[in-house]
Amino acid sequence: MPIIKDEDSETKDYLLQDDKKTRFGATFIVLILVILAIAVVASGLYFKWF
């Protein structure tokens, strides 16, 4: 099963489309996860857990 559907692909069995909304959503989710990871490390350093 392919993960990303290309524009020329005729299969209906896919998880993600290769379009603007999917790219924005994936970028947004990755950005939020990076911000959360930085916040966890910063709070760990602030409270001297590390």
Side-chain angles (χ1 to χ4, degrees):
M1 173 167 66
I3 295 177
I4 298 176
K5 179 182 178 189
D6 294 324
E7 292 177 5
D8 4 337
S9 178
E10 296 183 12
T11 183
K12 294 183 179 181
D13 193 21
Y14 60 89
L15 293 176
L16 300 172
Q17 292 184 7
D18 189 17
D19 62 359
K20 204 175 199 181
K21 277 196 261 185
T22 305
R23 288 184 189 168
F24 173 76
T27 305
F28 181 75
I29 290 171
V30 168
L31 185 66
I32 294 299
L33 289 175
V34 168
I35 290 172
L36 287 174
I38 291 171
V40 167
V41 169
S43 64
L45 292 174
Y46 180 75
F47 291 116
K48 299 187 190 319
W49 292 335
F50 301 123

